[in-house]
Amino acid sequence: TQLLEQSPQFLSIQEGENLTVYCNSSSVFSSLQWYRQEPGEGPVLLVTVVTGGEVKKLKRLTFQFGDARKDSSLHITAAQPGDTGLYLCAGLLNQAGTALIFGKGTTLSVSS
Amino acid sequence: DTAVSQTPKYLVTQMGNDKSIKCEQNLGHDTMYWYKQDSKKFLKIMFSYNNKELIINETVPNRFSPKSPDKAHLNLHINSLELGDSAVYFCASSLQNYGYTFGSGTRLTVV
């Protein structure tokens, strides 16, 4: 079973549209991280959220951590072709000796 | 300056061969990881080392053996390669699990 459910898996939109990607779990995470991965490269950290209810903004990207620290969302306003890529959520359980657990990713395609 | 560098970028080899992937980080991080990304882009943790000590050893065939000579290096050796080992392998590092920095990956193709 997948610990972090990420949706949608694929998203194809036009430039200027808004979109939201969701990351859900039944487990509580000490932190939730969002990464973006381009073809042929490794994931690059966008943001880390650690407090329940926390909202962080990165230009046109808004990240939210659920109050219960079980879910998170990424909202992109006025998407641009440069936003195209694979978006990954990843959670860290509050247990010693664990590493980031990744969702299956959302492949975003923004066309002009 | 490359923060996390892994070599080689591409590796094509025949079944049954033994191969190694090297990883180095110059960030001063205390923890290093190996992740496997499958054809559907799912990233799964394989191993984690903290200051040269093995912390995580997920359910991975014992043909895979990590080695950390110092906290800046984490290598992955694979024996008797199988077709199913074909994937992209990523090295990453972090400081106390806060924000991982990934290498650019090694695409392994077993033929």
Side-chain angles (χ1 to χ4, degrees):
Chain A
T1 51
Q2 183 70 15
L3 198 59
L4 266 175
E5 296 289 342
Q6 190 173 340
S7 63
Q9 189 176 354
F10 298 97
L11 200 48
S12 183
I13 61 173
Q14 293 288 318
E15 182 176 3
E17 291 184 33
N18 302 331
L19 66 114
T20 302
V21 177
Y22 299 94
C23 192
N24 297 296
S25 177
S26 57
S27 298
V28 176
F29 292 96
S30 60
S31 72
L32 212 298
Q33 302 175 22
W34 286 89
Y35 291 80
R36 179 179 161 187
Q37 185 179 12
E38 306 245 12
E41 297 296 327
V44 175
L45 179 67
L46 295 174
V47 79
T48 300
V49 284
V50 296
T51 305
E54 183 176 4
V55 177
K56 280 192 174 179
K57 291 193 174 185
L58 189 65
K59 296 184 180 177
R60 293 175 294 101
L61 278 61
T62 301
F63 305 85
Q64 188 160 6
F65 201 11
D67 291 340
R69 291 188 287 133
K70 293 182 179 183
D71 54 86
S72 181
S73 64
L74 156 61
H75 182 79
I76 301 179
T77 304
Q80 299 176 359
D83 295 327
T84 294
L86 176 67
Y87 289 82
L88 297 157
C89 68
L92 195 59
L93 294 170
N94 193 18
Q95 298 171 13
T98 59
L100 272 183
I101 299 166
F102 280 83
K104 289 195 172 182
T106 295
T107 299
L108 172 65
S109 174
V110 183
S111 50
S112 55
Chain B
D1 286 345
T2 304
V4 178
S5 60
Q6 54 182 110
T7 55
K9 176 81 173 171
Y10 300 96
L11 191 50
V12 181
T13 187
Q14 291 188 325
M15 278 193 303
N17 284 350
D18 303 339
K19 290 294 178 185
S20 292
I21 307 172
K22 295 187 175 183
C23 179
E24 175 182 4
Q25 56 97 3
N26 62 5
L27 297 166
H29 287 168
D30 57 4
T31 309
M32 296 185 73
Y33 314 83
W34 279 111
Y35 277 83
K36 179 180 180 180
Q37 188 170 47
D38 62 23
S39 58
K40 295 186 177 179
K41 306 296 184 185
F42 179 54
L43 274 162
K44 188 169 182 192
I45 183 71
M46 299 173 69
F47 303 104
S48 168
Y49 270 77
N50 181 274
N51 285 321
K52 301 196 299 177
E53 182 185 349
L54 181 64
I55 300 297
I56 295 172
N57 184 355
E58 288 295 308
T59 309
V60 175
N62 56 16
R63 298 180 294 104
F64 290 78
S65 54
K67 282 195 179 149
S68 181
D70 56 63
K71 71 174 190 177
H73 296 83
L74 179 61
N75 305 321
L76 183 65
H77 188 75
I78 315 169
N79 289 328
S80 304
L81 278 155
E82 300 177 358
L83 292 176
D85 297 331
S86 296
V88 182
Y89 292 84
F90 284 100
C91 176
S93 71
S94 74
L95 190 61
Q96 297 176 2
N97 252 335
Y98 188 81
Y100 288 23
T101 302
F102 283 82
S104 57
T106 296
R107 181 174 293 277
L108 172 65
T109 304
V110 183
V111 298

